[in-house]
Amino acid sequence: MTRRRRAGILLHPTSLPGPFGIGDLGPAVDEFLDWAVSAGQSVWQVLPLTPPGMHGTPYSGLSAFAGNPALISPELLRDEELLRDDELILAPGQPANAAAFGAVEAWKDRLLRMAWDRFQTEAPRELWEALEAFCSAPEQGSWLEDWALFAVLRRRFDAQSWHRWDPELARRDPEALERVRRDEAHELAYHCFVQFLFERQWSRVRSEAAARGIEIMGDLPIYVAYDSADVWANRELFDLDAEGRPREVAGVPPDYFTEDGQLWGNPLYRWDRMETDGFRWWIDRLGANLRLADQVRLDHFRAFAGYWAVPVDHDTAREGRWRDGPGKPLFDALAAALGDLPLVAEDLGDITEDVHALRRDIGLPGMRVLQFGFEPEASLHTPHNVGADTVVYTGTHDNSTALGWFRGLDRESRDRLSVYSGAGPRQVHWTLIRLAYGTASELALVPIQDVLGLGDGARFNTPGQLHGNWRWRLGRGDLTADSAGKLRRLAAVFDRLPEGR
């Protein structure tokens, strides 16, 4: 990360406003970027952009490489004459300020198939050539065909997990896969076309952000879902038994969020096997993420030093145990293959000295969250202890909103915040933003819900809760000139305005 003080916004694209049931990569992106410029912001952090798993979670997706088809903008497809205006009015109904995942995915698939049919008969030669170049590019060589096969077979087997498919397809029998390639050639081509559209539209987003002087921070979950193209295509890289089922699964021990810990259920890596081939899969994965963003947040960084492994038959994460992660050899391999590593280490949770040592050895900034900084004793998250080699947040996608957090504080903690900040309870979200901007941290990031002063009804995720997460959306008109002006004034006072603005 370049050594300069900056400010940014945490906002996932699915939370953008719009008429199609979920935020997408169309005009609302440009409107948000324009607002961010007027607010003196220079970084936009997104969550993982891959196809989400159950309940809409982007942290346990169907692929570590593919883009989420639901993010593809119908309006941009219309602008390229792949859709017509009358086809866009069929969008599903949507609840106010909430993404309608199931309805949108089915509707968007029908829309994308219309675009595919029209592409085949009406697309100009240069668009065909762009599709062919995308599909044959070496960057797609490690994942695109596997993703297309996985998507085709998942549809054939009614979205069942791959271990429930016909045995010869679950174990990737070469002859069985060759029959799929022959019999489903048109469907396979469709899924490659969808990924081409995603890449094309996201490249436009990158260009629009860069033109406004805004960098994008991506987000890379450490784990992948069991029911994913990655595990199906690379079983040998995961800790699975002879039947292809996990022996132990990922989670974290009891922590700030949950008394029983968090039982995520993701399969664990065979780090010994990954090291044998020079961490090739991780090099491909991080390379793909760095093509999507200027820098990338590494989710659950502590697992690279040591990770919590829970027996697969346990109902909670309480009875897991720590196992050694890959450590610095992984990052040495990544740096040797990819060069500079513009990464941010999410070093939150049960952090031991070996995790801090690994982060320092690699030279990555860590994360600090002000909501954790007003416990009875000062901590690394208390504003005066936040160092320059960090990214500071008022809260993350896993936290309450600032207002929701404050409403849940006991009287002693409220008094501590009041004495520390010199501010009363009115507009506590702006108090936290001011404190974040005033830290020594090079980058201060604020969830858009905190800019708007929203309560926990706008919370994005509650760890340990399966339903009702990831759905919150901005409304039309929520991003006002007034809120932009307040952020800009704070950015100016705390030397976080971009040069030339």
Side-chain angles (χ1 to χ4, degrees):
M1 295 174 63
T2 307
R3 301 291 178 181
R4 63 186 189 277
R5 288 172 64 79
R6 297 178 295 164
I9 297 293
L10 170 56
L11 170 69
H12 197 46
T14 59
S15 293
L16 290 166
F20 302 118
I22 194 171
D24 61 38
L25 306 182
V29 167
D30 303 68
E31 294 170 11
F32 164 70
L33 291 172
D34 287 340
W35 176 88
V37 169
S38 70
Q41 307 296 292
S42 54
V43 177
W44 174 21
Q45 183 186 336
V46 300
L47 304 185
L49 299 169
T50 52
M54 289 183 64
H55 314 299
T57 173
Y59 287 92
S60 189
L62 300 174
S63 169
F65 293 84
N68 182 2
L71 288 174
I72 294 173
S73 164
E75 290 160 299
L76 295 184
L77 296 181
R78 178 199 57 198
D79 293 346
E80 292 198 282
E81 299 184 351
L82 294 176
L83 292 174
R84 299 192 307 261
D85 276 327
D86 62 313
E87 292 166 339
L88 303 192
I89 65 174
L90 303 176
Q94 55 181 309
N97 294 94
F101 288 117
V104 167
E105 287 171 4
W107 175 76
K108 189 69 67 80
D109 182 62
R110 290 195 297 273
L111 210 66
L112 292 173
R113 289 178 185 277
M114 292 179 196
W116 174 227
D117 289 342
R118 191 162 289 128
F119 183 93
Q120 293 173 86
T121 57
E122 301 178 19
R125 180 171 182 79
E126 58 266 24
L127 208 52
W128 268 107
E129 290 174 348
L131 172 61
E132 291 167 358
F134 170 80
C135 294
S136 61
E139 291 84 1
Q140 277 64 259
S142 65
W143 67 271
L144 183 58
E145 185 191 45
D146 283 330
W147 164 250
L149 285 166
F150 179 83
V152 165
L153 292 171
R154 200 166 188 271
R155 182 182 177 93
R156 178 187 293 185
F157 291 103
D158 298 321
Q160 292 187 86
S161 178
W162 62 264
H163 76 279
R164 298 184 183 277
W165 300 351
D166 290 346
E168 68 274 13
L169 293 170
R171 67 172 182 267
R172 293 177 59 89
D173 176 79
E175 291 184 7
L177 290 184
E178 191 55 41
R179 286 194 297 273
V180 175
R181 293 186 184 97
R182 182 184 65 241
D183 298 341
E184 302 277 10
H186 185 269
E187 186 72 0
L188 291 167
Y190 163 70
H191 287 288
C192 293
F193 167 73
V194 170
Q195 290 305 306
F196 164 70
L197 293 180
F198 176 87
E199 191 273 342
R200 187 175 178 85
Q201 291 196 2
W202 184 253
S203 293
R204 188 199 76 86
V205 170
R206 291 290 309 277
S207 296
E208 293 294 335
R212 293 164 172 83
I214 293 178
E215 295 184 4
I216 294 178
M217 181 188 291
D219 198 334
L220 191 156
I222 183 170
Y223 294 120
V224 299
Y226 175 70
D227 184 23
S228 66
D230 312 285
V231 178
W232 174 66
N234 303 280
R235 278 170 57 164
E236 72 283 359
L237 299 181
F238 297 87
D239 188 13
L240 310 177
D241 63 21
E243 302 300 316
R245 303 304 303 274
R247 284 188 281 256
E248 294 180 316
V249 294
V252 292
D255 61 8
Y256 175 90
F257 293 107
T258 51
E259 292 182 0
D260 287 329
Q262 298 177 44
L263 185 60
W264 297 332
N266 307 78
L268 299 170
Y269 297 111
R270 284 292 305 267
W271 287 114
D272 55 337
R273 291 177 179 170
M274 288 184 158
E275 187 168 13
T276 299
D277 75 351
F279 300 104
R280 186 72 254 168
W281 185 85
W282 269 93
I283 291 169
D284 291 339
R285 187 185 185 195
L286 182 57
N289 277 266
L290 290 175
R291 287 190 292 276
L292 296 174
D294 299 287
Q295 52 190 302
V296 172
R297 188 192 84 122
L298 285 181
D299 184 58
H300 197 52
F301 176 80
R302 77 101 51 243
F304 292 109
Y307 57 93
W308 192 246
V310 183
V312 72
D313 57 349
H314 284 217
D315 294 329
T316 76
R318 279 188 173 275
E319 304 303 320
R321 57 178 172 171
W322 291 109
R323 297 189 181 278
D324 290 338
K328 194 165 182 292
L330 168 64
F331 293 92
D332 289 342
L334 292 171
L338 301 172
D340 249 1
L341 299 178
L343 304 175
V344 173
E346 187 267 284
D347 55 346
L348 306 176
D350 186 1
I351 303 302
T352 47
E353 180 52 36
D354 59 328
V355 183
H356 292 304
L358 177 61
R359 181 178 70 83
R360 288 193 297 267
D361 285 348
I362 304 166
L364 303 184
M367 281 178 55
R368 301 293 179 261
V369 179
L370 295 194
Q371 288 187 25
F372 301 150
F374 294 95
E375 303 296 328
E377 296 183 3
S379 72
L380 292 174
H381 303 278
T382 306
H384 62 267
N385 287 331
V386 173
D389 63 337
T390 63
V391 176
V392 66
Y393 293 74
T394 54
T396 74
H397 63 274
D398 282 334
N399 291 96
S400 292
T401 65
L403 183 58
W405 166 77
F406 181 76
R407 287 171 173 168
L409 289 179
D410 57 31
R411 180 181 294 276
E412 181 183 357
S413 297
R414 288 190 180 196
D415 288 345
R416 187 178 299 108
L417 175 62
S418 177
V419 171
Y420 193 100
S421 65
R426 286 194 66 223
Q427 296 196 318
V428 69
H429 53 296
W430 286 110
T431 297
L432 279 195
I433 294 171
R434 188 179 303 107
L435 289 173
Y437 276 32
T439 65
S441 174
E442 292 172 1
L443 173 59
L445 281 168
V446 178
I448 195 67
Q449 294 96 319
D450 287 354
V451 176
L452 302 180
L454 301 178
D456 266 355
R459 183 170 180 163
F460 208 46
N461 180 50
T462 301
Q465 176 181 298
L466 289 179
H467 303 282
N469 294 319
W470 317 110
R471 300 179 68 236
W472 178 82
R473 295 181 69 194
L474 284 164
R476 286 286 187 189
D478 280 353
L479 299 179
T480 64
D482 180 62
S483 61
K486 288 180 179 179
L487 277 180
R488 186 180 184 86
R489 285 193 291 276
L490 287 174
V493 167
F494 291 106
D495 194 25
R496 294 188 182 276
L497 273 183
E499 289 184 14
R501 284 201 221 161

